[in-house]
Amino acid sequence: MEKKSQFIDELSAKYSTKGENIILGKGMLNGEVVQEVDVKIPLKTINRHGLIAGATGTGKTKTIQVFVEQLSKSGIPSLVLDIKGDFSGIAAQGAVNSIIEDRYAKTGYTFTPQQFPVELMTISDEKGVKLRATVSEFGPILLSKILLLNDTQQSIMSIVFKYCDDKGLPLVDLEDLKKVLQYMTDPEGGKQEVASNYGNVAPASLGAILRAIVALEQEGATSFFGEPSFDVWDLLAKEGDKGVVNILRVANIQSKPNLFSTFMLSLFAEIYMSFPEEGDSGRPKLVLFIDEAHLIFKEASKTLLAQIETMVKLIRSKGVGIYFITQIPGDVPENVLSQLGLKIQHALRGFTAKDRKEIDKAVENYPITEYYDAGQLIQNLGIGEAFVTALSEKGIPTPLVQTFLISPESRMDVLTDEELTVLTQSSALVEKYETAVNKESAYEILSERMQAITLQEETQTETQQRTTNEDEGPSVFEQVLKSSAGRTFANTLMREGAKAVLGMLGLGSRRRR
C-alpha cells in the first residue's frame, strides 16, 4: 500500500501540467489501473517528436487514433501517413460496446462517441486531394540525394538548374528535366552553349542521371511531379474548434520506398521553407505521424538518412512534431531516435534470440524505474497497454509508466466506398487540386526550339540542292539541242517521222508521172 501511495504521488507530480495537454490514459501498477494517475502530455512538448512502437496486434493503430483525436480536440491539425488503410474511420462517429464500457469504467473517464474533420490525400490515383510538387521546388541538391547521384552527377544537376534559371526554362515535371538533359547533349541544341558558358558535361554522366530519373518514374513518381503544386499551409485547416486530420493514403508503398522517401523529404523541406520560426509557442502548429517508418530507413542511403536526420532536428523550430510508428525501436536510426522526446512502447515479443536483443536494447532507452521489471513486463503488456515516457513542460524526461490507454471516440474501422466518395466529393481541397495543369514549361519550349532547328536545317538543305543544280548548267542533251547542228538534226528527224506516219495511213505524197 505504501508503494502504491508513493507511485501515485510521484507519477501524478511528474505527469501534471500547468498548460494545455492531451490525455493518453491512466497509470498502472501491478496490473491494476490507478485512477489517481493521469498520463498527460504537455502540448508545448509535442513538437519534440516521438516514437510509437510495438509488435503487430498490440494496439499501435488505435494509439495513433487516440493521439490525433486528442490533438484535434485541442484545435491542432495532423497528417497521418496511412499505409494499411486503417485510419479513414476517424471521419465517422464511434460506437459504444461492452469492451469500451469496461475500459472507461476502469479509467473513470467519459466516453463520448464523435467524428472528427478529415481530409483524404493521395500521391497516387486513389480518391482524395492530389499532392504534387514541381521539380524546381526540390532544387538540385535534394533532387540529387533522392536520385542517389554521386558528386560529379550532383554538380551536373546544379548546372542544369542554373541553365534553366538563366534561360527561363521552368522545370515542372520529370519530362521537363529529361528534355533539358537531352537538349544539353544535342550538338545541334545546347551542347556548345552549355560547354562555353558552364563547362563541359560528360554524356556518360547525363546518361546516368537519365537512368536514375527513369527508375524513379517506374515507382509512380510521374504523377507526383507537376502542377498545381500542393500548398503546405492547407495542412493547417480547422473546422470549428477541431483541427483537421489529414490522412495520406499511401497503399502499396512497400514496393516504392524511393517514392516514399521522395515525398517525405519534399514535405519536410517545403514545411521548413514555408513555415515561420515559432519559438516557444506553447503548442505545435502541425503533427506528422509516419506509419511503417522502417520503409523510409530500410532502403535509404547514408546521404538520405543524414538529410532526414537534419530535417528532424530543424523542423521542430517551425512548431512541427514528427512521430515515427514501427514495430521495434531499432527500425529507427540511433541519430534520429535520440531526437525523440515521447516514447509509447507497446508489447514486444521475444520469440527469437534477435527479438530478445531488441527488447534489451529498447529497455535500455527507458528511464530506470523501481516500479516495474521493464524487461519482463514489456513482453506481457496487454492490448491497449503501453510503456510511456515523455518530456515535462521543463523538458525533463518523465518516469516510465505502464499506461492503460483510452479508446478512440471515432469509428475503429474504415469507411465504406460510398462514405469515401461522399467525403471526397464534399472537399474543397479535392476540387482545388484535382485537375493537373500543363502549362508551357521546359519540355514545350525546347521541343519547339528543336523543331525550329530541324526545319531550318531542312530548308537549308533544299536551298543548297537547288543552288547546286543551277550551278551545274545545262546537260549535254540540252546543249546539243541548242546548237545549230542539233536543231537541223531535230527538224529532219521530225520531218521524216511525219512522212513515215502518213505513209502508214496511205496518205503519202504522190509524184506526177
Side-chain angles (χ1 to χ4, degrees):
M1 190 68 181
E2 181 179 349
K3 188 173 183 179
K4 182 178 180 180
S5 298
Q6 179 183 343
F7 175 82
I8 292 172
D9 291 342
E10 181 181 350
L11 274 294
S12 296
K14 296 296 184 181
Y15 280 93
S16 65
T17 64
K18 295 181 180 179
E20 295 179 288
N21 61 74
I22 64 172
I23 296 177
L24 295 182
K26 294 286 187 177
M28 297 181 68
L29 182 65
N30 298 324
E32 176 191 350
V33 178
V34 182
Q35 290 194 2
E36 293 86 350
V37 178
D38 292 304
V39 180
K40 301 176 182 178
I41 310 299
L43 283 184
K44 70 177 299 181
T45 66
I46 295 293
N47 66 333
R48 301 295 181 90
H49 314 315
L51 172 74
I52 301 174
T56 300
T58 55
K60 297 191 301 298
T61 298
K62 301 307 176 232
T63 299
I64 300 167
Q65 195 167 339
V66 167
F67 208 141
V68 298
E69 287 179 0
Q70 293 288 310
L71 291 171
S72 181
K73 287 181 180 180
S74 299
I76 299 170
S78 57
L79 173 64
V80 183
L81 271 66
D82 187 7
I83 291 178
K84 300 187 294 291
D86 293 331
F87 295 104
S88 61
I90 295 173
Q93 181 174 295
V96 179
N97 56 42
S98 59
I99 297 175
I100 290 178
E101 288 178 341
D102 179 64
R103 178 168 290 270
Y104 274 78
K106 290 179 179 179
T107 62
Y109 296 128
T110 301
F111 180 76
T112 307
Q114 57 185 302
Q115 64 187 52
F116 294 84
V118 166
E119 282 285 0
L120 297 179
M121 300 182 169
T122 178
I123 56 174
S124 61
D125 295 327
E126 296 186 48
K127 296 176 181 178
V129 181
K130 306 295 183 185
L131 302 190
R132 302 182 185 89
T134 65
V135 172
S136 295
E137 288 170 342
F138 274 75
I141 296 176
L142 182 56
L143 189 61
S144 296
K145 292 182 186 299
I146 291 165
L147 296 174
L148 306 179
L149 304 183
N150 60 33
D151 291 342
T152 301
Q153 294 160 355
Q154 182 173 320
S155 65
I156 292 174
M157 186 65 76
S158 297
I159 291 176
V160 171
F161 274 72
K162 181 67 168 67
Y163 177 76
C164 291
D165 286 342
D166 293 345
K167 302 300 178 181
L169 300 173
L171 289 173
V172 176
D173 53 29
L174 293 179
E175 288 298 324
D176 291 327
L177 184 57
K178 290 193 296 182
K179 194 66 177 179
V180 173
L181 291 171
Q182 293 168 355
Y183 183 75
M184 291 173 64
T185 59
D186 191 340
E188 303 298 332
K191 183 176 181 179
Q192 297 300 324
E193 180 185 15
V194 171
S196 59
N197 292 287
Y198 306 93
N200 290 320
V201 176
S205 296
L206 287 174
I209 296 173
L210 280 169
R211 289 191 295 273
I213 294 171
V214 171
L216 188 61
E217 287 180 320
Q218 295 302 309
E219 292 194 8
T222 302
S223 59
F224 173 65
F225 287 94
E227 289 184 321
S229 180
F230 183 73
D231 185 354
V232 292
W233 286 94
D234 284 332
L235 293 173
L236 305 183
K238 293 173 63 175
E239 288 188 15
D241 295 331
K242 292 181 179 178
V244 172
V245 181
N246 301 285
I247 300 175
L248 177 60
R249 308 169 73 201
V250 282
N252 301 322
I253 202 69
Q254 292 91 333
S255 60
K256 304 172 182 179
N258 204 16
L259 177 59
F260 192 30
S261 299
T262 298
F263 168 75
M264 289 310 306
L265 282 178
S266 167
L267 183 65
F268 289 173
E270 191 64 22
I271 288 175
Y272 181 74
M273 296 298 293
S274 301
F275 290 178
E277 292 286 335
E278 285 292 306
D280 191 7
S281 64
R283 55 171 29 226
K285 178 178 291 184
L286 176 69
V287 183
L288 310 179
F289 293 86
I290 305 173
D291 198 8
E292 302 293 338
H294 66 277
L295 293 176
I296 294 181
F297 304 113
K298 185 177 180 181
E299 303 294 334
S301 65
K302 291 182 179 179
T303 304
L304 197 55
L305 286 176
Q307 190 73 12
I308 294 174
E309 179 187 344
T310 301
M311 283 295 178
V312 169
K313 290 179 180 178
L314 296 177
I315 207 169
R316 179 176 63 84
S317 65
K318 304 292 184 173
V320 177
I322 302 175
Y323 287 76
F324 299 99
I325 298 91
T326 188
Q327 292 197 7
I328 56 176
D331 290 335
V332 180
E334 290 187 5
N335 289 340
V336 175
L337 198 61
S338 64
Q339 305 294 320
L340 310 181
L342 172 64
K343 295 182 178 67
I344 302 175
Q345 178 66 64
H346 288 266
L348 293 176
R349 309 304 183 199
F351 297 123
T352 66
K354 182 179 179 181
D355 292 338
R356 289 190 287 274
K357 288 181 180 179
E358 291 292 344
I359 290 173
D360 292 339
K361 187 187 299 184
V363 171
E364 288 175 359
N365 289 321
Y366 300 143
I368 297 174
T369 175
E370 62 179 289
Y371 300 110
Y372 311 109
D373 179 356
Q376 182 64 31
L377 184 55
I378 196 174
Q379 302 178 61
N380 295 288
L381 292 170
I383 297 174
E385 299 175 8
F387 276 145
V388 174
T389 178
L391 294 176
S392 69
E393 289 174 309
K394 295 181 179 180
I396 302 171
T398 59
L400 186 68
V401 57
Q402 181 185 359
T403 304
F404 192 73
L405 300 161
I406 60 176
S407 300
E409 294 177 320
S410 57
R411 182 189 296 177
M412 290 190 283
D413 199 357
V414 299
L415 298 181
T416 64
D417 287 340
E418 292 77 11
E419 289 173 322
L420 288 173
T421 299
V422 171
L423 182 60
T424 54
Q425 287 180 344
S426 61
S427 169
L429 287 185
V430 169
E431 183 178 354
K432 177 180 179 180
Y433 293 105
E434 179 67 23
T435 305
V437 178
N438 189 17
K439 298 179 182 178
E440 185 180 63
S441 53
Y443 180 86
E444 289 78 15
I445 294 172
L446 293 181
S447 293
E448 292 179 3
R449 189 177 300 177
M450 296 188 76
Q451 288 177 359
I453 292 173
T454 302
L455 181 61
Q456 184 179 1
E457 290 176 348
E458 291 175 351
T459 303
Q460 290 176 349
T461 301
E462 293 176 359
T463 302
Q464 289 174 356
Q465 289 177 347
R466 288 197 300 269
T467 304
T468 301
N469 291 337
E470 292 174 359
D471 291 344
E472 289 177 352
S475 64
V476 174
F477 182 71
E478 290 174 336
Q479 293 177 10
V480 170
L481 288 180
K482 289 181 180 180
S483 65
S484 58
R487 288 195 296 272
T488 301
F489 174 76
N491 292 334
T492 302
L493 183 62
M494 292 175 63
R495 185 171 58 252
E496 293 301 321
K499 288 181 179 180
V501 172
L502 292 173
M504 287 187 292
L505 296 175
L507 299 175
S509 61
R510 296 180 180 179
R511 295 183 180 179
R512 290 183 181 180
R513 295 184 178 177

